[in-house]
Every structure is written in C-alpha cells, then in structure tokens.
C-alpha cells in the first residue's frame, strides 16, 4: 500500500514537471524574437483589458454644440490682477507700480529686487520735493506681457527677464520707454550633463546653440526647453535656435526646415521652469535650459552639469509704460539710479546674479512683431509631423457641483481653441462610473462641435473614480494607436478631489510607466497628491488652479502641449 502511495506521488510530481515544461516552453516560444518592451507591452495590454472589464463604462449620445470660430482673446481669460501678489507695498501716495519677473521679486535668493525696493521705500527719497516709493508686483514675464498687450492691466513700469518681452509690448502699440537696459546681470544657458558635454565637445569642437541643434537633429542629444509663450528662457532659446538655421531670415524656408528637423527629436517641452527642474532630476534628459542665477544656487547641478550661455542677456531691463506724467517718470528713473549702487549690485551677486558679465548677446535685436510670428511658428511646428491624440478626463462627481463644474466647462470651452486641427481628441467623464462622452476623432469642425456639446452636457453627482477614468482613457488611446501608431498620446485629467471609488494609483502605475503616456493633471481648489504623483511618472505637469485662474492656466497648458 505504501509502495502504491509513493507511486501516485511520483506520478503527480512528473505531471507537474511536464506541465511546467510545456507551460514555459509555450511562453518561451510565444515570446521568441520579441524585444523586452514588446513583451511588457503585451503584458500591459492584458492588464489594461482586465482592469477595463471591471469598470462600468457608458457611452453618451453624441450632441453637437455651438462653436465659436473667433480667435482666442487672451485678455478674456486672464484672472483679476490681484491673483499676482504685491511683493513690496508702496509707502507714499506718490508711487509707481512695477511688474517684476519672478526670479528677482520672490523670496530668498529670488527676492533681490524686493530687498532693494524695500530699502528705497525706507530711504525717505523725494522726487521733485515729494516723498516717493515703489510698488512691486511679482509676475512672470510672459504673463505680464499678456496683461500689458491685452490692455487688461498696464502698470507704470515693467522689468521682464530680458529685452524680448519689451520689444513685444512695444510692437503691440503700447508706449514703451527704456529707462535702463540693465538692473542686474543674468544670462540664459543650456545645462548639459558633463559626460554628454565632453562627448559633444569631442565631436563638434565646442558647445553652443548651433552644435546643440545639430546634435538634437542627429538624435545625439536628449534635451528639453520651456514654453516660449510664457518662459523668458524658452522664448530666447526659440529665437536663438531659429537664428542658427538662418540668421538673416528667422522665419524663412531654410530656418523653418531646420527647426522642423530639430524639433522632431526634442523629447520634452516644459510648461514651467519648475516642471523642467523636476524632469531633469529624473536623469532622463542630457540637457535643459535654465537661467544662470538658478544654476548658481543649485549645488547639485554644478558638479554634474556644465552651463553654456546662449542668446540675449537676461539683464532685467526697466521700461516705463503708457503716457505717464513726468512725476512718475522721474520716480522710475530715480529707482533705476538707486538700484545701480554698488551695495545692491553686490547683494545681487550674493543671490547668484552678475555671474557671467563677460558674456555678450549672440542674437541681434529682434523686432517684437517678428517674435510673435516666431511663437506662432513654434505652435505650428513643435510636434513636427507627429499628430497628437489626446483624451480629456473630467471629474463630474458631486463635489464638482456648482462653481467648480462651471469653471471646468469654461476652461475647456476656452482651451479647445488651442487644440489644433491636425490632432485627434476624445472626452471622458467620471463619477461612480465612467462615460465616454466623445470617442477619439480628428479635431475637425464636426468633432469640435461634438466636443463642445459633450462639455455643455456635463452634470455633477456621485463619487470620485478618478483612476477608472484614466484606465478608460488609456484603453481608448491604445485602441487608437493600433490604427495609427505614429500618434503621440496625451491625457488631461481635471479634478477637484481625492479618489474614493474604483481602482487605485497602485493598480495603474505600472501601465502608465509601460505606455509612457504623459498625464497632465489640473486640480480645482485642491491639493491632489495622487494626481501630482501620476503626472510625475512621465514628466507631465500638475496645475493646482483655483476657480479664478483655471481658465487662463489651462489655456496656457493646452497651447504648449497641443
């Protein structure tokens, strides 16, 4: 009897071994000739299908909406100027308000101008026998230019990071008087991984924007830069890059063709400098753009990266704006003289400014109208010949009812004008369940009308199954890419709160990592850590917008990414 039992055990072991050999043999032969990424993609596809089947997905009836064919009026989406803080308050009735770029009117090393302005206000300075002071408003150069050019709010004076913004304001018909071309010294540069830097210098002899653009066009360098509509460094890089292809005609055929080839191999465009810094920390970029003052205050960069200056200098010129009375002009001039004192220039050096005073601008003066045309060219050509497929995922849970949902609708209705006719768009909404409001389709007039209709039809109620909505968007994009593998997929998630139903971040993190689809998240009056985490997986941006400024912020985001 014991012998028979041992026989059965032996047979069982043999059966298991044979089964295992057959199983692994099938697995091995089924994956024969496939790359690791192909196998992982197949596994991800099975995982995606499994998660998708667990979600209740409805399909909404397609309803057309009324589309507005007028171009975007940037002034209409700008929030009230009070959204941008006063960093130094005037101390007298006779004063001037100055828009200042953020690297000098923030806090800590970014607060140089605030310290100087505070001293000015405390010095009992009189202009024409009347006590005078200044008010400083902290606002990014690109955003400040939007306010000024739109006429929504024009301060007495403006000190952007570089002269390019002043030229754009001047070209828009605003009376612009240059008071000084330099408050404090700074330059823009390309920060390159030292190993990659040495490789490029060995091949090209030196590193500058020309050799950088050649290396990118030849797919030898992975580099990111910032939005030229909002970022001083990004606009500077755009103009400088165009000049390397044809300095005599920045918008000529030769320059455009060179830019298209170069841009086709640019893997990353950041909406903000902060997003660029976060992406750089991942180590996936060989190089990125940055101002020297930031580089000087980042010890983690100095040992491993090399700074190469480019383009126009970022010397914070100061402009008087509009038809000002002589009293205000005199205050602005007096303030410029005050800033030039050695003690304040030394203070700037302590905060990272005045570091590369020997560098001279490589770019000839550029007319402001030409700069606007260069921005439009960038918008048209930044994706090369690779169209985008984007799915918008909107939170319509109960907490979005009322003002949040209204603003979500307004932001999407405004933002949809930036989407681009060559791209494909889909739309999903979620609460307890997920609804496909609009299947992915080419963004022609018909699709645009149905996109608007889908937005108009949104109603809020129920729980928050955010990651279920993302799974459905992933599934839609993967199905679309089976038809057109050349598409560049993107997801935009708009939400106001934490997930409380459905799948979790842990359930889908691996899928996002495998598919490498950037997921841009927009939080409405919220601090959504889970959404921030999911955006960071593939170097996308998270925008925590409040009700007042979400329309403008989403418009900027879509302008860059679409």
């Amino acid at each position: 009897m014991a012998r028979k039992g041992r026989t059965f055990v032996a047979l069982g072991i043999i059966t298991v071994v044979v089964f295992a050999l057959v199983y692994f043999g099938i697995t091995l032969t089924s994956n024969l000739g496939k790359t690791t990424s192909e196998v992982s993609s197949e596994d991800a596809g099975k995982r995606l299908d499994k998660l998708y089947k667990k979600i209740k997905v409805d399909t909404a009836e397609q309803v057309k909406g009324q589309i507005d064919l007028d171009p975007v009026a940037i002034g209409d989406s700008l929030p009230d100027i009070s959204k941008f803080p006063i960093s130094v308050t005037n101390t007298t009735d006779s004063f001037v308000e100055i828009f200042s770029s953020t690297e000098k009117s923030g806090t800590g090393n970014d607060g140089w101008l605030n310290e100087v302005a505070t001293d000015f206000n405390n010095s009992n300075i009189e202009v024409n026998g009347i006590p005078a002071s200044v008010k400083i408003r902290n606002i990014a150069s690109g955003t400040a230019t939007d306010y000024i050019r739109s006429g929504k709010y024009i301060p007495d004076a403006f000190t952007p990071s570089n002269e390019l913004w002043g030229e754009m304001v001047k070209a828009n018909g605003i009376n612009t008087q240059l008071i000084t071309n330099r408050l404090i010294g700074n330059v823009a540069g390309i920060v390159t991984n030292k190993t990659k830097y040495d490789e490029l210098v060995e091949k090209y002899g030196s590193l500058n924007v020309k050799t950088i653009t050649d290396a990118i066009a030849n797919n030898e360098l992975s580099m990111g830069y910032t939005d030229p509509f909002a970022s001083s460094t990004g606009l500077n890089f755009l103009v400088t890059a165009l000049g390397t292809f044809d300095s005599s005609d920045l918008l000529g055929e030769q320059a455009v063709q060179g830019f298209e080839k170069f841009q086709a191999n640019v893997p990353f465009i950041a909406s903000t400098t902060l997003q660029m810094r976060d992406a750089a920390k991942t180590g996936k970029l060989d190089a990125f753009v940055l101002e020297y003052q930031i580089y000087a205050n980042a010890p983690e960069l100095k040992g491993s990266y090399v700074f190469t200056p480019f383009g126009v200098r970022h010397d914070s010129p100061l402009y008087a704006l509009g038809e000002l009375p002589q009293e205000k002009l005199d205050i602005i001039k007096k303030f410029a003289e005050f800033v030039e004192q050695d003690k304040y220039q030394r203070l700037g050096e302590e905060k990272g400014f005045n570091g590369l005073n020997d560098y001279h601008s490589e770019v000839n003066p550029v007319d402001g109208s030409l700069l606007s045309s260069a921005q439009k060219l960038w918008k048209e050509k930044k994706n090369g010949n690779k169209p985008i497929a984007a799915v918008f995922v909107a939170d319509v849970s109960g907490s979005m009812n009322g003002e949040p949902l209204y603003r979500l609708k307004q932001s999407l209705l405004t933002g949809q004008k930036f989407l681009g006719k060559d791209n494909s768009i889909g739309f999903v909404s979620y609460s307890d369940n997920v609804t496909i409001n609009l299947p992915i389709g080419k963004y022609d007039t018909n699709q645009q009308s149905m996109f608007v209709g889908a937005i108009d039809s949104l109603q809020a109620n129920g729980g928050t199954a955010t990651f279920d909505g993302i799974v459905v968007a992933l599934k839609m994009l993967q199905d679309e890419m089976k038809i057109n593998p050349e598409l560049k997929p993107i997801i935009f998630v708009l939400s106001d709160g934490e997930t409380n139903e459905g799948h979790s971040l842990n359930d889908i993190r691996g899928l996002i990592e495998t598919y490498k689809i950037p997921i841009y998240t927009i939080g409405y009056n919220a601090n959504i850590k889970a959404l921030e985490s999911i955006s960071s997986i593939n170097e996308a941006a998270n925008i925590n917008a409040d009700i007042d400024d979400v329309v403008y912020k989403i418009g900027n985001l879509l302008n860059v990414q679409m």
Side-chain angles (χ1 to χ4, degrees):
M1 187 73 180
R3 184 182 299 172
K4 187 179 292 186
R6 287 194 297 270
T7 302
F8 282 133
V9 170
L11 287 172
I13 293 172
I14 292 170
T15 302
V16 170
V17 171
V18 171
F19 176 80
L21 288 172
V22 171
Y23 173 79
F24 287 115
I26 291 171
T27 303
L28 180 63
T29 54
S30 66
N31 291 333
L32 199 60
K34 297 179 182 177
T35 66
T36 302
S37 61
E38 286 173 334
V39 173
S40 65
S41 293
E42 288 182 4
D43 292 342
K46 293 174 184 176
R47 175 69 175 156
L48 178 60
D49 289 341
K50 185 177 179 180
L51 292 174
Y52 185 84
K53 288 175 182 177
K54 294 179 180 178
I55 302 170
K56 186 177 186 303
V57 182
D58 299 318
T59 301
E61 181 181 353
Q62 303 300 294
V63 179
K64 288 189 176 183
Q66 293 293 316
I67 62 174
D68 178 7
L69 297 177
D70 292 333
V72 177
I74 195 64
D76 293 343
S77 64
L78 288 165
D80 188 86
I81 194 61
S82 62
K83 295 301 302 178
F84 300 91
I86 300 297
S87 54
V88 176
T89 304
N90 58 291
T91 55
T92 63
D93 292 334
S94 180
F95 70 94
V96 293
E97 179 178 351
I98 304 173
F99 276 6
S100 168
S101 54
T102 55
E103 79 279 1
K104 58 182 183 284
S105 58
T107 59
N109 287 325
D110 296 333
W112 169 79
L113 190 64
N114 291 341
E115 294 186 35
V116 179
T118 299
D119 278 6
F120 180 85
N121 289 353
N122 291 337
S123 297
N124 299 317
I125 290 174
E126 293 186 355
V127 175
N128 301 325
I130 301 172
S133 61
V134 295
K135 177 198 287 186
I136 306 294
R137 192 181 296 274
N138 179 296
I139 182 169
S141 300
T143 304
T145 301
D146 285 343
Y147 275 94
I148 297 166
R149 291 202 299 169
S150 69
K152 183 157 185 174
Y153 193 96
I154 301 176
D156 303 307
F158 178 32
T159 172
S161 298
N162 63 40
E163 67 194 49
L164 301 176
W165 302 111
E167 292 301 319
M168 291 179 72
V169 167
K170 188 189 302 183
N172 215 62
I174 306 294
N175 189 43
T176 306
Q177 180 179 340
L178 179 65
I179 302 300
T180 178
N181 60 9
R182 173 170 172 156
L183 289 180
I184 195 74
N186 202 6
V187 298
I190 298 165
V191 179
T192 312
N193 176 281
K194 193 171 187 313
T195 302
K196 180 60 69 171
Y197 175 88
D198 291 340
E199 288 178 11
L200 294 176
V201 169
E202 183 177 350
K203 177 172 182 178
Y204 292 96
S206 64
L207 196 70
N208 51 45
V209 173
K210 177 68 174 80
T211 55
I212 284 283
T213 53
D214 287 345
I216 293 172
N218 295 330
N219 209 21
E220 298 168 340
L221 179 71
S222 175
M223 177 182 154
Y225 64 95
T226 44
D227 170 18
F229 279 87
S231 163
S232 298
T233 309
L235 180 60
N236 194 354
F237 182 77
L238 170 63
V239 173
T240 307
L242 286 169
T244 66
F245 303 119
D246 188 350
S247 59
S248 63
D249 188 357
L250 297 185
L251 301 179
E253 183 177 352
Q254 181 177 333
V256 172
Q257 288 179 352
F259 180 76
E260 283 183 307
K261 184 180 178 183
F262 148 79
Q263 187 64 29
N265 287 322
V266 172
F268 183 67
I269 298 171
S271 300
T272 64
T273 300
L274 179 61
Q275 185 193 357
M276 179 62 71
R277 284 289 302 276
D278 288 343
K281 289 176 184 177
T282 67
K284 295 178 181 178
L285 295 175
D286 297 322
F288 52 95
V289 298
L290 207 62
E291 285 185 317
Y292 184 79
Q293 183 260 347
I294 299 175
Y295 173 80
N297 290 309
E300 70 276 10
L301 294 178
K302 282 191 172 181
S304 305
Y305 290 83
V306 179
F307 186 93
T308 305
F310 71 82
V312 301
R313 289 187 59 90
H314 283 211
D315 286 342
S316 292
L318 178 64
Y319 303 90
L321 302 177
E323 302 296 336
L324 295 178
Q326 190 62 43
E327 170 195 333
K328 284 186 177 287
L329 273 175
D330 290 342
I331 295 174
I332 298 170
K333 291 176 182 178
K334 179 69 74 172
F335 181 65
E337 293 172 4
F338 187 86
V339 170
E340 290 176 357
Q341 295 179 71
D342 287 343
K343 63 182 290 189
Y344 296 119
Q345 293 300 307
R346 288 196 300 270
L347 176 66
E349 290 175 15
E350 293 171 9
K351 295 181 181 296
F353 294 100
N354 290 342
L356 295 175
N357 285 331
D358 293 337
Y359 173 76
H360 298 286
S361 293
E362 297 174 340
V363 178
N364 295 325
V366 183
D367 182 78
S369 59
L370 187 64
L371 290 168
S372 296
S373 296
Q375 287 178 324
K376 291 176 183 175
L377 171 68
W378 176 83
K379 171 69 175 171
E380 294 171 2
K381 304 295 185 181
K382 64 183 175 64
N383 294 317
N385 296 319
K386 197 168 186 178
I388 288 172
V391 176
F392 291 81
V393 182
D395 180 354
V396 291
S397 60
S399 59
M400 288 290 290
N401 195 34
E403 186 71 7
L405 184 61
Y406 171 76
R407 297 302 286 178
L408 182 149
K409 289 182 177 182
Q410 290 301 112
S411 59
L412 284 177
L413 291 172
T414 301
Q416 53 92 19
K417 294 186 178 184
F418 294 105
L419 297 183
K421 303 301 180 186
D422 293 329
N423 298 322
S424 297
I425 306 299
F427 188 63
V428 166
S429 61
Y430 67 89
S431 54
D432 303 298
N433 301 317
V434 181
T435 300
I436 298 176
N437 301 83
L438 181 65
I440 296 173
K442 192 75 173 288
Y443 197 64
D444 54 18
T445 303
N446 186 59
Q447 186 79 349
Q448 183 180 8
S449 177
M450 289 192 291
F451 185 64
V452 170
I455 295 167
D456 287 337
S457 67
L458 295 178
Q459 295 182 338
N461 61 74
T464 310
T466 301
F467 300 106
D468 285 3
I470 293 174
V471 168
V472 173
L474 286 170
K475 173 68 172 166
M476 291 168 66
L477 287 168
Q478 290 307 304
D479 289 346
E480 188 69 17
M481 291 181 71
K482 289 175 183 175
I483 302 170
N484 185 358
E486 293 302 312
L487 289 172
K488 176 184 175 183
I490 298 179
I491 295 174
F492 296 94
V493 178
L494 305 94
S495 177
D496 80 331
E498 294 280 5
T499 296
N500 54 32
E501 294 194 24
H503 292 106
S504 69
L505 173 57
N506 286 337
D507 292 334
I508 70 170
R509 181 186 295 275
L511 288 175
I512 299 167
E513 290 173 344
T514 299
Y515 288 134
K516 295 181 171 54
I517 296 177
I519 301 179
Y520 292 84
T521 58
I522 300 100
Y524 289 72
N525 283 346
N527 184 14
I528 309 171
K529 295 299 182 184
L531 292 182
E532 290 176 352
S533 297
I534 212 163
S535 288
S536 68
I537 293 173
N538 293 321
E539 288 87 46
N542 168 265
I543 296 176
N544 195 5
D546 66 24
I547 294 302
D548 295 328
D549 63 3
V550 69
V551 173
Y552 178 67
K553 285 187 174 181
I554 290 183
N556 283 347
L557 176 65
L558 297 182
N559 190 47
V560 177
Q561 302 303 333
M562 298 296 292

